[in-house]
Structures are given as structure tokens and as C-alpha cells.
């Protein structure tokens, strides 16, 4: 029997751990298992691994090692940044500015702060490509604004925001600026010195490191409340015995990402563009969502008219292709994604959306396989669609 092909095209959801990363991690699960807070040799071994990883992650974004705080992932970093800044600045004001296309780790934290802690949040609209308008941002600022949180790059449509310009506006108004850079840090160049960013969220598992570990960059001098209370770890700012094997893996993943950045970007961009162009050529009534210029290298997001994203995912999965749709089927709701709604897609178009993301293990052969198979999948679903048959008349 021929083994079923397994083709992963969902690198924005998560990535596999690279061999070099795993090799670095393994000894810290067995031989060097110490608690980094312990005084003895075992403890010191763990502590020096922790220090090294901190330098590796700092170097990825041009930060100082003591500005990096390890967390349990991007979601915790987002929660910490928002709640920590909000509570620490309560006496100055209660207004927060974010955008409509943020990850739920930001949106749901904002909703929580509104509902239970008396904060007021402005959710900025975005343009058709998914970029905020700087004018809108300036107009939204009030005397009570204490925080601006705008994501670096969007996880669904790949749109990259004008982070430097946003940082300048925040600085002019003396407002703290946080960015969720989970999709950016390690995939495209990110330099906190150049960007006027005060806080930045990052995660390991989007850049070929293990899951459940991430970091919050906190610029020197930024005051915020703690989020996880307990022991004195992370310079008294984030309690809990450090997950040394995961942190070591994250450090290695960050080092590899920095070293391979140019090649990573050019290879992914080439594969992605080929996929995009061939699909647009072969499948009529298709549009690409997001920006052409300001886009993550590995991301493509299509809308195929007349059909439903879930149907596409199901048929692709039967062919061994793992992709993601633009409808929030995971959350059990039938609403299309908040991101596709925010860029102005009509409901019925948003429903027929498909996100394909390529990564460091994607080959030309993989692209061939999708280009050969996707048109048939779309055609089959359309042939069953009353809307499509109507449009043909
Ligand atoms: C994946 C992701 C997160 C959440 O990170 P976890 O490490 O999975 O908690 C937050 N923001 C963005 C933009 C993401 O893509």
C-alpha cells in the first residue's frame, strides 16, 4: 500500500522542532535537570543555559539580555503586557488603543479589561490590506491613553504593520507601545532599537522551537505590574521554575532564525509567490487577501467565491494537505474570521477562505502537489454550490 502523503502547509499555526533545536534540548531533560535557582552545580548548569538562551533571544531582536523575560508563550506575553501596563498606569488614565485584527490573546484581554476593570478600549479599523491608518491612530489618542498595542504581523493574512511609525507616534505622546510580534520575530528582521517599541511579545513554536515557551521584551525603565506571582525568577518579574529544556530550545531556534534569516525570507517568498501565481492562474473567481508588499514571506490567504472554507479543508485533509480556513470553525462558531471581516470582505466571500503557509521544510515538490490538487477540490465544491450554478447562468 502506498503511504498517504502528509503535507504541512500551516506553519503560521505552529512549526516542527528542528533537529538542531531538539539536540540542544535533550541533555537538559536528563543530565542537566537542575533548578536554575539552586546554589549547587546542577543549579549553576541550568542557570548558565538560561543565560545563554536569554542572549540568543535578545540578539534576535537587538535587545539587551536583561530586557528579555521568558514566559509560557505568546499568549502569556500578550496578557502580561496589557494587564501589567494597564494596572501600573491606572492613575494616569484608562484608555487603550488596539486594532480590530489582533490575535485573540490581545482582543480577549482587552475585553476583559473593559468588562471587569473599567478600562476603555478603541479598536482601530484597518484598510483593505489589513493595515491601520496612522491618521486614525493619532485621532484616537486622548489625554487618558496609556497604551497602544498593535500587532507586528497578522497571523491570518500576513499583513505587516508600520511599526516604526506607530512607535514614533506613541513616543511623541508619551504613551507605552506594545507589539505582538509572535509571527514576526524570527521570520522577518525585527530590531527593537530601531522601532521605539516598549514591549514586544514573542513565541518559540512559531519559529521551529518547542511549544509552551515565549518571551516578553520589556525595554529598560518600563514600569508594569507582574502577572505571574510567586518566586523571584526572571529578576522578580515572572515567577515559576524556569522550563530550562524549552528555553534552551527557544534560544537555539532564535539563533538559527537569525543566522538563516536572508535565506529563509528569499526561499519562502519564492515558494509562496509561485503557489500564489499558479493558483490565481488556474482557479477563476479567486482573490488574495492582505497586502502584496507588506506581507510575511510564508503567508498566502485566498478567497474562493461560492464555497465554504470548511469544505476545502476537509477535502485537502483527505489528500494529506494540512491548511487553515478563514472561518472560526475551531471556536465552534460559524462566523467568519474577525480579520477577514475587518478588511471588508463580505460574509460569503470570507467564508470561502483558505490560509496556506509555507515554511523551512516546504519543497518545490510540495507546491507542485498543491497546484495539481487544489483546482480539483475547488471545482468539486463549486459544482455542488447552488450559488455557483446560479452565477453560471
Ligand atoms: C500564535 C500566536 C499567538 C499565541 O502564541 P502562543 O505561544 O501559541 O501562546 C499570539 N499572537 C499571534 C500573532 C500568534 O500568531
Amino acid at each position: 500500500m502506498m503511504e498517504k502523503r502528509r503535507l504541512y502547509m500551516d506553519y503560521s499555526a505552529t512549526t516542527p522542532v528542528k533537529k538542531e533545536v531538539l539536540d540542544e534540548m535533550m541533555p537538559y531533560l536528563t543530565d542537566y535537570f537542575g533548578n536554575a535557582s539552586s546554589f549547587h552545580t546542577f543549579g549553576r548548569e541550568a542557570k548558565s543555559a538560561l543565560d545563554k538562551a536569554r542572549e540568543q533571544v535578545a540578539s534576535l531582536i537587538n535587545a539587551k539580555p536583561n530586557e528579555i523575560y521568558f514566559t509560557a508563550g505568546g499568549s502569556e506575553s500578550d496578557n502580561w503586557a496589557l494587564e501589567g501596563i494597564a494596572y501600573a498606569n491606572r492613575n494616569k488614565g484608562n484608555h487603550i488603543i488596539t486594532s480590530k485584527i489582533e490575535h485573540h490573546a490581545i482582543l480577549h484581554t482587552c475585553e476583559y479589561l473593559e468588562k471587569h476593570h473599567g478600562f476603555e478600549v478603541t479598536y482601530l479599523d484597518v484598510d483593505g490590506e489589513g493595515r491601520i491608518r496612522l491618521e486614525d491612530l493619532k485621532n484616537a489618542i486622548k489625554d487618558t491613553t496609556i497604551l497602544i498595542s498593535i500587532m507586528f504581523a497578522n497571523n491570518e493574512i500576513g499583513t505587516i504593520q508600520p511599526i516604526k511609525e506607530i512607535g514614533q507616534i506613541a513616543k511623541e505622546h508619551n504613551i507605552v507601545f506594545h507589539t505582538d510580534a509572535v509571527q514576526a520575530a524570527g521570520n522577518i528582521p525585527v530590531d527593537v532599537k530601531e522601532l521605539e517599541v516598549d514591549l514586544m511579545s514573542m513565541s518559540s513554536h512559531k519559529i521551529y522551537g518547542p511549544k509552551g515557551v515565549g518571551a516578553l521584551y520589556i525595554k529598560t525603565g518600563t514600569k508594569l505590574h507582574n502577572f505571574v506571582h510567586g518566586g523571584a525568577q526572571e529578576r522578580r518579574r515572572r515567577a515559576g521554575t524556569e522550563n530550562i529544556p524549552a528555553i534552551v530550545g527557544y534560544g537555539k531556534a532564535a539563533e538559527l532564525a537569525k543566522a538563516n534569516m536572508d535565506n529563509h525570507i528569499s526561499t519562502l517568498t519564492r515558494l509562496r509567490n509561485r503557489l500564489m501565481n499558479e493558483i490565481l492562474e488556474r482557479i477563476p473567481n479567486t482573490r488574495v487577501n492582505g497586502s502584496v508588499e507588506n506581507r510575511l514571506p510564508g503567508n498566502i490567504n485566498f478567497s474562493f467565491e461560492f464555497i465554504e472554507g470548511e469544505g476545502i479543508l476537509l477535502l485537502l485533509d483527505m489528500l494529506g494537505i494540512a491548511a487553515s480556513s478563514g472561518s472560526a470553525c475551531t471556536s465552534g462558531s460559524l462566523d467568519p474570521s474577525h480579520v477577514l471581516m475587518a478588511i471588508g470582505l463580505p460574509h460569503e466571500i470570507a467564508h470561502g477562505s483558505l490560509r496556506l503557509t509555507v515554511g523551512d521544510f516546504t519543497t518545490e515538490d510540495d507546491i507542485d502537489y498543491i497546484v495539481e490538487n487544489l483546482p480539483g477540490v475547488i471545482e468539486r465544491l463549486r459544482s455542488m454550490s447552488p450559488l455557483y450554478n446560479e452565477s453560471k447562468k
Side-chain angles (χ1 to χ4, degrees):
M1 200 185 92
M2 213 175 87
E3 219 189 301
K4 191 180 153 190
R5 183 154 182 163
R6 269 164 62 89
L7 174 42
Y8 190 74
M9 291 291 286
D10 205 11
Y11 283 81
S12 274
T14 193
T15 60
V17 169
K18 282 187 175 165
K19 171 86 169 57
E20 301 96 306
V21 170
L22 182 65
D23 287 347
E24 292 276 322
M25 292 172 66
M26 289 304 268
Y28 290 94
L29 289 157
T30 52
D31 296 352
Y32 308 118
F33 61 87
N35 183 322
S37 302
S38 300
F39 183 73
H40 44 61
T41 305
F42 290 80
R44 281 200 304 275
E45 288 163 353
K47 178 68 168 59
S48 74
L50 180 62
D51 291 344
K52 182 179 169 191
R54 201 184 304 285
E55 280 169 23
Q56 288 165 317
V57 172
S59 165
L60 178 66
I61 59 164
N62 196 23
K64 293 180 222 138
N66 67 8
E67 294 174 316
I68 299 296
Y69 295 83
F70 288 112
T71 65
S75 299
E76 185 192 314
S77 298
D78 283 345
N79 276 256
W80 182 13
L82 264 52
E83 289 196 43
I85 292 294
Y87 301 150
N89 293 280
R90 196 71 180 86
N91 58 334
K92 291 190 197 140
N94 72 335
H95 182 233
I96 296 168
I97 301 173
T98 186
S99 82
K100 287 190 175 159
I101 63 160
E102 300 293 312
H103 189 272
H104 284 131
I106 295 291
L107 291 178
H108 290 167
T109 305
C110 284
E111 285 162 20
Y112 167 80
L113 286 168
E114 283 179 296
K115 199 163 170 210
H116 299 286
H117 293 276
F119 287 88
E120 185 202 342
V121 182
T122 299
Y123 300 87
L124 296 178
D125 286 321
V126 293
D127 65 19
E129 295 191 342
R131 303 240 301 174
I132 66 155
R133 297 177 192 89
L134 297 172
E135 276 313 305
D136 290 355
L137 173 62
K138 286 182 196 157
N139 291 335
I141 293 173
K142 314 187 204 189
D143 292 343
T144 50
T145 309
I146 51 169
L147 171 66
I148 295 170
S149 179
I150 302 289
M151 74 196 315
F152 206 119
N154 184 268
N155 44 301
E156 291 187 35
I157 56 175
T159 302
I160 299 168
Q161 299 292 339
I163 294 299
K164 189 170 181 170
E165 290 79 357
I166 298 168
Q168 276 159 356
I169 293 169
K171 196 174 185 190
E172 278 162 27
H173 292 83
N174 226 341
I175 299 167
V176 176
F177 177 38
H178 165 257
T179 185
D180 174 344
V182 170
Q183 292 287 338
N187 278 315
I188 54 174
V190 172
D191 182 332
V192 290
K193 294 275 142 50
E194 206 177 88
L195 293 172
E196 318 264 19
V197 167
D198 298 304
L199 302 115
M200 191 165 89
S201 302
M202 298 175 273
S203 182
S204 153
H205 75 101
K206 307 280 172 78
I207 63 162
Y208 311 93
K211 294 170 182 56
V213 61
L216 182 62
Y217 158 79
I218 306 176
K219 188 179 181 175
T220 307
T222 308
K223 290 192 177 56
L224 78 166
H225 282 196
N226 287 353
F227 185 67
V228 179
H229 306 280
Q233 290 89 357
E234 296 298 280
R235 302 178 302 291
R236 300 187 176 276
R237 287 181 116 168
R238 197 278 186 181
T241 302
E242 302 87 348
N243 185 351
I244 298 293
I247 290 171
V248 163
Y250 183 24
K252 185 66 187 178
E255 182 193 292
L256 291 174
K258 190 183 175 187
N260 299 333
M261 183 70 70
D262 291 347
N263 184 39
H264 169 83
I265 292 174
S266 61
T267 308
L268 266 56
T269 304
R270 192 187 69 241
L271 291 168
R272 191 272 316 276
N273 286 349
R274 208 193 115 205
L275 175 62
M276 177 172 74
N277 294 334
E278 297 203 20
I279 292 301
L280 286 174
E281 225 165 77
R282 286 170 198 230
I283 310 180
N285 301 94
T286 300
R287 61 163 278 169
V288 170
N289 301 312
S291 171
V292 179
E293 276 161 62
N294 301 296
R295 189 181 200 104
L296 286 173
N299 172 289
I300 187 75
N301 189 304
F302 294 111
S303 286
F304 303 105
E305 283 180 51
F306 314 114
I307 53 175
E308 299 277 335
E310 282 88 276
I312 311 174
L313 291 191
L314 200 77
L315 293 185
L316 286 181
D317 195 44
M318 285 164 64
L319 292 161
I321 300 169
S324 168
S325 92
S327 24
C329 48
T330 45
S331 62
S333 99
L334 286 175
D335 292 336
S337 115
H338 63 286
V339 178
L340 298 178
M341 292 284 93
I343 61 171
L345 287 195
H347 255 75
E348 66 278 13
I349 307 276
H351 267 302
S353 298
L354 177 72
R355 179 186 74 182
L356 295 167
T357 38
V358 300
D360 287 354
F361 297 105
T362 309
T363 63
E364 296 281 357
D365 201 41
D366 294 339
I367 304 295
D368 289 341
Y369 185 69
I370 297 188
V371 168
E372 276 159 29
N373 285 285
L374 187 56
V377 165
I378 302 299
E379 189 50 48
R380 192 169 149 203
L381 291 167
R382 281 182 176 166
S383 71
M384 297 185 289
S385 153
L387 284 172
Y388 183 63
N389 294 323
E390 197 62 33
S391 81
K392 285 252 151 181
K393 279 178 197 157

